[in-house]
Amino acid sequence: MLFQRTLKSLVSTSGVGLHSGQKVTLTLRPAPENSGIVFCRTDVAGAPTVKADAFAVGDTRLCSTLEGNGAKVATVEHLMSAFAGLGIDNVFVDVSAPELPIMDGSAAPFVFLMQSAGIAEQVALKRYVRIKQSVECRDGDKWARFDPHPGFKVSYTIAYQHPVFKDARPSATVDFADNSFTREVSRARTFGFMQEVESMREQGLALGGSLDNAIVMDEYRVLNDEGLRYQDEFVRHKILDAIGDLYLLGHPLIGAFAGYKSGHALNNRLVRELVSRTAAWEYVSFERADDLPAGFAALHLQRS
C-alpha cells in the first residue's frame, strides 16, 4: 500500500457534460510510474495533453478547468476526487470533448469504473505531501486552510440562505483514518437552484444539468423525487470537490484541510500558496506500513 498505483486495464464510459451539454466519451488507461494523471483531448488535432496540476487550472467558474498545450478539460474535480479516494497515482485520461461527463453528479460512478478496471500496485514508492506549517487564504468572509495533521482530514462549512438549508447540517468533518471515501463521500451529488439556471445558461453553463445529475432546489424544497443520499449531502459534496481540487497537488496529502464557503478558486489559491511556501511542506515516502503516521495507516487499509 506504500507504492504508486494505476489501473489494471483500460475502461470507458460516456455521458454528458454538466455545463457544455455535449456528449463525451471518457477512457481511463493504465500509466507508468511517476506519470501522474494526464488528460488527453482525443477530439482535438494532435490529441494534446494536459497534466493534472494546480498551476494548470484556468477557469474556476463552478468547476475546475485544466488548460495547457492548446487543450482545455473542464469539470475535473469529481474524477480527481475519485482518484484521490482510491489512491490512484498514475492514469491516462482520454476525453472526447472539452468537459468530463457529469454522470450522476457525484464521484461514485468513477469509483465504480475504476474498481471494475481493477487497481494495480506499481514498483515506485508513493510520494506524499506532508503539511509542516499552517497556510491560509481568504477572500472576504471565505477562507481555506491547511494545518499539520497525522493523517488526512477534511472539514467544511457552507452558508446558504434557503429554506432547505435550515434543516441541513452546515458543517461536516471527515477524518479518513476512520471513514471510507467510497461510503461517506463519493455518493454526494452536486447541487443548484432553479432560479439560477437561466442566468447560468446565458453564460453557457449548466446546459447539461438535470435532476439525473444534480440535486435541484426551487424556492422552497428539493425537487429530486428520491431526496438526499446523506442528511448532510450538500456539505459532503463540497468536501468531495475539495478533495479533487487538492489532489491537483499531484500527490496525496498528510494534513488537514478546512474551508468556510470556499470554492474551486479559493481551493486552488490555497494549493498554489502552499507550493510557494517551501518551508510549510515536504515530500515523504514510506517503505513500510509501520512507518506511516498513526492516523494515516487506516486510510490505506480502506483503499485496498
Side-chain angles (χ1 to χ4, degrees):
M1 295 305 299
L2 307 179
F3 295 90
Q4 294 179 25
R5 307 177 86 183
T6 188
L7 301 179
K8 287 183 178 178
S9 62
L10 176 151
V11 65
S12 295
T13 190
S14 61
V16 64
L18 174 63
H19 296 300
S20 67
Q22 293 185 31
K23 184 177 179 181
V24 52
T25 297
L26 173 74
T27 300
L28 306 180
R29 295 183 286 121
E33 291 93 340
N34 301 312
S35 297
I37 309 299
V38 181
F39 290 83
C40 177
R41 282 287 303 278
T42 59
D43 60 317
V44 177
T49 62
V50 55
K51 191 169 183 177
D53 185 279
F55 290 88
V57 173
D59 193 353
T60 53
R61 292 179 302 162
L62 303 178
C63 70
S64 290
T65 300
L66 296 173
E67 302 178 7
N69 299 320
K72 290 186 178 182
V73 184
T75 320
V76 302
E77 58 273 9
H78 299 170
L79 179 61
M80 291 301 299
S81 193
F83 285 140
L86 293 179
I88 306 296
D89 302 277
N90 307 300
V91 176
F92 294 129
V93 181
D94 297 336
V95 57
S96 67
E99 183 181 18
L100 295 187
I102 189 60
M103 309 308 285
D104 72 346
S106 76
F110 297 129
V111 168
F112 176 79
L113 193 67
M114 285 183 263
Q115 289 176 332
S116 299
I119 298 171
E121 189 173 274
Q122 299 177 289
V123 175
L125 286 174
K126 189 187 290 281
R127 296 179 79 195
Y128 302 83
V129 170
R130 178 159 56 193
I131 306 297
K132 297 169 60 181
Q133 301 173 4
S134 296
V135 176
E136 183 174 284
C137 287
R138 288 184 173 268
D139 178 12
D141 67 335
K142 304 173 184 177
W143 56 264
R145 186 178 67 245
F146 285 128
D147 291 302
H149 178 72
F152 182 45
K153 180 172 67 173
V154 180
S155 302
Y156 202 97
T157 298
I158 56 176
Y160 291 96
Q161 299 302 315
H162 187 281
V164 167
F165 291 91
K166 291 181 179 179
D167 298 322
R169 296 176 184 170
S171 300
T173 296
V174 181
D175 189 330
F176 290 97
D178 305 311
N179 295 277
S180 161
F181 173 86
T182 301
R183 292 193 302 270
E184 305 300 332
V185 176
S186 73
R187 298 178 63 248
R189 294 162 293 173
T190 191
F191 58 92
F193 306 92
M194 280 295 296
Q195 57 265 40
E196 296 179 352
V197 170
E198 184 175 343
S199 173
M200 291 169 63
R201 290 185 170 170
E202 288 175 356
Q203 301 175 60
L205 300 169
L207 300 178
S210 73
L211 292 173
D212 293 327
N213 55 39
I215 303 168
V216 182
M217 290 161 281
D218 63 13
E219 295 180 356
Y220 306 102
R221 61 189 176 94
V222 171
L223 298 179
N224 305 66
D225 289 339
E226 71 274 25
L228 300 179
R229 295 176 176 176
Y230 306 101
Q231 183 179 353
D232 53 357
E233 186 170 0
F234 303 110
V235 70
R236 283 183 186 258
H237 184 77
K238 290 295 188 179
I239 288 174
L240 185 157
D241 277 349
I243 292 170
D245 289 339
L246 302 186
Y247 205 48
L248 291 171
L249 269 169
H251 303 276
L253 271 169
I254 298 178
F257 168 86
Y260 176 76
K261 296 171 60 177
S262 69
H264 301 298
L266 195 55
N267 294 344
N268 185 252
R269 269 185 55 198
L270 180 67
V271 171
R272 294 189 185 206
E273 181 67 18
L274 175 71
V275 172
S276 73
R277 298 192 191 182
T278 55
W281 61 279
E282 63 181 348
Y283 286 124
V284 293
S285 294
F286 306 96
E287 294 190 8
R288 302 181 308 138
D290 291 344
D291 296 331
L292 278 167
F296 216 66
L299 171 61
H300 284 266
L301 290 174
Q302 290 169 7
R303 285 174 174 170
S304 59

